[in-house]
Amino acid sequence: MCQYFGLTCGGYKKDIFFDFETSPGNHGVRFRRPLLTVKERERMSQWLVSSAPPKTTLRILSRIEDECERADVTDNIEIHQGPFGAFRFNPIQNEPSLEPAGDIQDIDSSSPEDVVGTGNPYQIHPHVPLSPWSQGMMQLMFDQPEDVPTPPSPGFLDAMMIPNGVGSDMDTPECLATFVPDPYYNNPVSPTSLASSMGTTKAVPQDAVFLLKHYASSVISLMTPFRHSKTPWHVLFIPHTKSCLAALALGDDLSDASLCVFYGTLAISAFSLGGVSKSQTWSEKAVMFNQQAQHYARSMLMTAYNIPKVAKYKSILMALLTMVQVTMFSGNRSHSEYYFLEAEKFIRMRGLKRKKSRKVRLLHHCYVFERIIHESVFICGANSGQRHHVRTAIESSGLGRYSLDSLSFRLSGWKNLHQEMMRVRGQEEGENDLHLERPGFWSNTLYPEIFGIPEPWIFLLSQIIRLGKEKDAAEEEDATHCLSLKDFIARAKTLEEYINHLQPPSLEITHSQLDRDIIQNMLDAMKNALAIYFYRRIHDVDASMLQPKVVAVLECLLRCESTDSTVVHGSAGFIWPAFIAACEAEESSIQAAFTDWFDNSASRSGLSCFRQTLADIQKIWQEKCCAGKSVTWLDLMKRTMPLQQQF
């Protein structure tokens, strides 16, 4: 058909298009994957032919031909309306009518409301004799209960091929997915008998489409400052989740990894909706979806390293990153630690030795960015049992040789940072220096186009974390492998100079002015937060010396808030600089301004991570007030965010 119409064939695939998508590619010709297999369609065709008496068939076809000959050229004649359309014809004399009561619109050009209707567009005469298979089809298509629940969203699946007349219950796709014609049945086919003949299929959650629509239109805007459709969430996560939804609706079997991505995504969206609407129902559904995602995550990890592999590398990594997002957005940072470490183990043992496509590198960049942010504040888990287990597993596997960075965030042997940052890194070093241990320039980095932040900025945060670990190790009894005091001071001075002289890159003209303003404010906030974090983590300077930078971060937050009064794109990227700066705020008015920003962000996004972070900050303010200013931020972090060893 593609050759006949002169089209470039894109192949067959399970896919879903939502009514809110405006991509030009979504309005062209679409070829959908057939609901039935080739053998099933052949059996159905043979059975239909054998069930129609030849004399009756010829008579009906003759009447259709006569009707077409009598019709004017301008008349719009609907002859074929599905596999049974050839046996429908206009009434002649007193014969009952099987024609639609109204015009039947083509599904591709109809509106979502037309695709999934609530009424019955066919007027079926009660005495018209139908074949057993036709009776089964009509029973499934039209015998809908009157009290079918209506989903909370106008979003629909236009790739489901849902016939006109099917009710709006979002579980219907499950019934439609079980259509398997059986020529051996002599009785009308019911949904129960069809489902039992195929085996039990996983039901599609009733609110899945609505939740995916909210995730695509609202939630992902929090993760990136860009409004284009080339982010990892647009390219990988959303298409994969849609494919999972389509597969579930068709009754296909999915891997545990794909089911983890699917239910984890629903959980994130439901958490957001519960926070925005203050609805207990959505919050309960979020917890339920989260539990399902955790179940599939556990099952997935049991077979993640099997040979031959059970699931694709990208699917497993997407599942782990989805669980990281679920735990982070729900404010459960200790559980984030668990999935971060499992992701690190999986990447080092299955990802670094392979040739990496752009999509794989996108996923690796998402992991590294969030992991380094996590590592900067989760400072009390360096010696946890799980971290020891992960390091041991990687080292004993022999795959640690593919890692070009240490497994425990320790410093590399650089001396002149300014000079070594000008060194051009090769492809292998750029890809396999997982946690940015080695200085250098890599032109193929993807951080700027995902998060709007240049790689050197993330590298500097990684170096501060590593130098801070050297400081912690030196304070312990066994410090044989630590830097000398001279080297420590030299490294600290170099990092300080580099941070203070950071220059934001020139933004591409292709970005909108709003995007450029948000990114510029994000970079300014990040630069000041890096300085605050460095002075507190490495030198532990008095908080009064940090107040100008604290105010500078707050001003960046407020400028973004005034620019975009709804949900600031990429606002999740502001949590870290806001947290680092707010912890050091001393004046009550500045503390109140930070409190308002976190409250507003929580209300707009619906995500509890904003309120949970604010609660941690307020604990720090209270401890400072009670214990005096001699208490360091590091001490407060250890007391207010203890590591949970068991998950």
Side-chain angles (χ1 to χ4, degrees):
M1 293 303 294
C2 291
Q3 292 177 355
Y4 179 81
F5 286 108
L7 300 173
T8 301
C9 184
Y12 288 93
K13 63 179 180 178
K14 299 184 290 289
D15 208 348
I16 296 177
F17 299 89
F18 289 95
D19 64 326
F20 62 87
E21 293 177 335
T22 58
S23 173
N26 294 341
H27 301 291
V29 178
R30 299 174 188 158
F31 295 94
R32 293 184 172 89
R33 177 173 182 247
L35 188 63
L36 309 177
T37 65
V38 175
K39 291 184 179 180
E40 290 167 348
R41 281 179 280 153
E42 289 177 350
R43 289 192 327 195
M44 184 177 71
S45 298
Q46 293 170 1
W47 187 77
L48 285 174
V49 171
S50 64
S51 65
K55 292 183 180 179
T56 306
T57 305
L58 292 174
R59 178 168 56 87
I60 293 174
L61 293 176
S62 176
R63 290 179 180 176
I64 293 175
E65 184 178 3
D66 292 340
E67 179 186 353
C68 293
E69 290 181 352
R70 291 194 304 269
D72 190 79
V73 179
T74 59
D75 290 347
N76 184 16
I77 302 177
E78 297 286 351
I79 298 297
H80 181 71
Q81 295 292 339
F84 307 96
F87 301 100
R88 297 195 190 103
F89 56 94
N90 285 335
I92 297 179
Q93 297 178 356
N94 295 325
E95 295 186 19
S97 172
L98 289 178
E99 284 294 315
D103 293 334
I104 304 299
Q105 299 180 354
D106 181 73
I107 287 183
D108 277 354
S109 60
S110 61
S111 65
E113 288 75 9
D114 294 325
V115 175
V116 185
T118 55
N120 187 347
Y122 289 93
Q123 300 296 329
I124 305 298
H125 195 281
H127 303 296
V128 175
L130 298 174
S131 66
W133 174 253
S134 299
Q135 294 177 20
M137 287 287 287
M138 294 302 177
Q139 178 181 353
L140 282 176
M141 291 173 64
F142 304 123
D143 292 353
Q144 298 293 326
E146 295 181 359
D147 57 344
V148 174
T150 303
S153 166
F156 296 99
L157 313 179
D158 68 356
M160 287 296 189
M161 294 297 288
I162 300 177
N164 287 345
V166 177
S168 58
D169 187 355
M170 294 307 297
D171 287 332
T172 333
E174 182 189 5
C175 296
L176 296 177
T178 59
F179 282 157
V180 179
D182 193 337
Y184 303 106
Y185 282 166
N186 294 321
N187 298 317
V189 184
S190 66
T192 305
S193 61
L194 282 172
S196 62
S197 68
M198 292 185 62
T200 304
T201 58
K202 294 182 176 65
V204 178
Q206 181 176 354
D207 303 308
V209 177
F210 179 71
L211 289 171
L212 292 186
K213 177 178 178 179
H214 177 73
Y215 180 87
S217 61
S218 300
V219 176
I220 63 172
S221 65
L222 303 170
M223 305 178 192
T224 174
F226 299 114
R227 300 166 194 265
H228 59 65
S229 58
K230 297 180 181 179
T231 69
W233 297 277
H234 293 94
V235 174
L236 290 166
F237 287 90
I238 292 178
H240 186 78
T241 308
K242 289 181 181 180
S243 178
C244 293
L245 178 56
L248 284 175
L250 294 174
D252 291 354
D253 291 328
L254 290 173
S255 66
D256 291 325
S258 294
L259 289 169
C260 178
V261 174
F262 179 72
Y263 285 105
T265 302
L266 296 188
I268 294 172
S269 186
F271 275 127
S272 173
L273 280 171
V276 171
S277 64
K278 305 296 189 296
S279 168
Q280 186 64 25
T281 300
W282 283 119
S283 299
E284 292 173 354
K285 289 185 177 183
V287 173
M288 178 188 67
F289 291 137
N290 186 19
Q291 291 174 346
Q292 290 177 288
Q294 289 178 353
H295 166 75
Y296 289 116
R298 286 192 295 268
S299 300
M300 172 194 71
L301 289 173
M302 293 177 63
T303 60
Y305 302 94
N306 285 8
I307 298 176
K309 61 183 180 181
V310 177
K312 293 181 179 180
Y313 177 81
K314 291 195 296 289
S315 298
I316 295 177
L317 188 51
M318 275 193 285
L320 290 171
L321 293 177
T322 299
M323 293 309 298
V324 166
Q325 293 171 356
V326 173
T327 54
M328 289 178 60
F329 287 155
S330 61
N332 197 339
R333 188 171 293 278
S334 61
H335 285 194
S336 300
E337 162 86 354
Y338 172 80
Y339 290 109
F340 270 127
L341 294 180
E342 288 296 330
E344 177 187 358
K345 176 183 174 184
F346 185 68
I347 292 172
R348 292 191 187 276
M349 296 181 65
R350 288 290 182 267
L352 296 187
K353 67 177 182 178
R354 60 180 287 152
K355 184 178 180 181
K356 304 165 191 64
S357 65
R358 176 180 171 82
K359 289 183 177 180
V360 168
R361 291 199 299 118
L362 283 171
L363 293 175
H364 286 186
H365 278 68
C366 288
Y367 158 76
V368 175
F369 180 81
E370 297 295 348
R371 173 64 188 278
I372 291 178
I373 293 292
H374 169 82
E375 199 73 18
S376 68
V377 295
F378 204 78
I379 56 179
C380 45
N383 298 316
S384 69
Q386 189 195 5
R387 293 197 176 210
H388 177 73
H389 167 75
V390 168
R391 287 195 297 269
T392 303
I394 297 171
E395 292 169 349
S396 61
S397 68
L399 297 169
R401 66 182 185 274
Y402 294 102
S403 299
L404 299 184
D405 62 325
S406 65
L407 302 182
S408 56
F409 277 88
R410 301 306 292 265
L411 277 172
S412 62
W414 57 264
K415 295 294 184 181
N416 189 329
L417 184 60
H418 292 281
Q419 182 178 348
E420 295 195 39
M421 284 296 289
M422 301 300 294
R423 180 179 61 89
V424 177
R425 295 197 291 174
Q427 187 74 12
E428 182 181 3
E429 186 179 7
E431 292 178 347
N432 290 8
D433 177 17
L434 188 61
H435 292 153
L436 301 180
E437 177 181 311
R438 302 184 178 190
F441 172 77
W442 187 35
S443 60
N444 290 331
T445 182
L446 299 175
Y447 297 109
E449 60 183 272
I450 300 175
F451 303 103
I453 298 177
E455 182 172 291
W457 300 53
I458 308 169
F459 168 80
L460 286 173
L461 179 56
S462 176
Q463 295 304 304
I464 300 173
I465 294 170
R466 296 172 190 276
L467 191 59
K469 289 182 181 291
E470 293 289 336
K471 178 184 176 183
D472 294 341
E475 295 173 353
E476 297 176 357
E477 294 181 2
D478 184 11
T480 55
H481 300 289
C482 297
L483 290 175
S484 65
L485 180 60
K486 180 180 178 181
D487 288 339
F488 179 86
I489 294 175
R491 297 272 185 116
K493 184 177 181 181
T494 301
L495 285 177
E496 180 181 12
E497 291 177 355
Y498 213 96
I499 293 171
N500 290 331
H501 290 87
L502 275 177
Q503 293 297 325
S506 57
L507 300 177
E508 297 180 9
I509 194 65
T510 54
H511 297 318
S512 67
Q513 185 60 46
L514 181 58
D515 286 349
R516 291 199 295 270
D517 291 342
I518 291 176
I519 295 173
Q520 185 62 55
N521 283 304
M522 180 183 293
L523 291 175
D524 289 344
M526 189 77 174
K527 178 180 177 179
N528 285 282
L530 275 173
I532 296 171
Y533 184 75
F534 170 80
Y535 287 122
R536 172 57 75 196
R537 184 75 174 93
I538 304 302
H539 293 309
D540 195 18
V541 302
D542 189 87
S544 60
M545 299 177 63
L546 302 175
Q547 295 311 298
K549 296 188 180 300
V550 170
V551 174
V553 172
L554 178 61
E555 290 175 348
C556 293
L557 300 178
L558 298 180
R559 280 198 298 269
C560 280
E561 196 172 46
S562 61
T563 301
D564 189 349
S565 59
T566 56
V567 175
V568 177
H569 279 248
S571 57
F574 285 94
I575 294 181
W576 185 82
F579 171 78
I580 296 299
C583 285
E584 305 300 334
E586 293 188 329
E587 295 184 14
S588 58
S589 59
I590 302 299
Q591 292 179 353
F594 275 112
T595 300
D596 290 342
W597 183 85
F598 276 102
D599 282 337
N600 292 337
S601 298
S603 299
R604 294 170 179 175
S605 67
L607 300 176
S608 60
C609 57
F610 288 97
R611 286 202 170 90
Q612 182 61 52
T613 303
L614 176 60
D616 293 332
I617 294 170
Q618 290 174 335
K619 289 179 183 177
I620 293 174
W621 290 341
Q622 184 178 5
E623 290 250 357
K624 277 189 174 183
C625 181
C626 297
K629 296 183 180 180
S630 60
V631 177
T632 66
W633 170 81
L634 179 61
D635 294 332
L636 294 172
M637 286 292 293
K638 288 180 178 179
R639 273 192 278 171
T640 56
M641 295 184 181
L643 173 65
Q644 296 183 17
Q645 297 290 349
Q646 302 296 329
F647 301 101

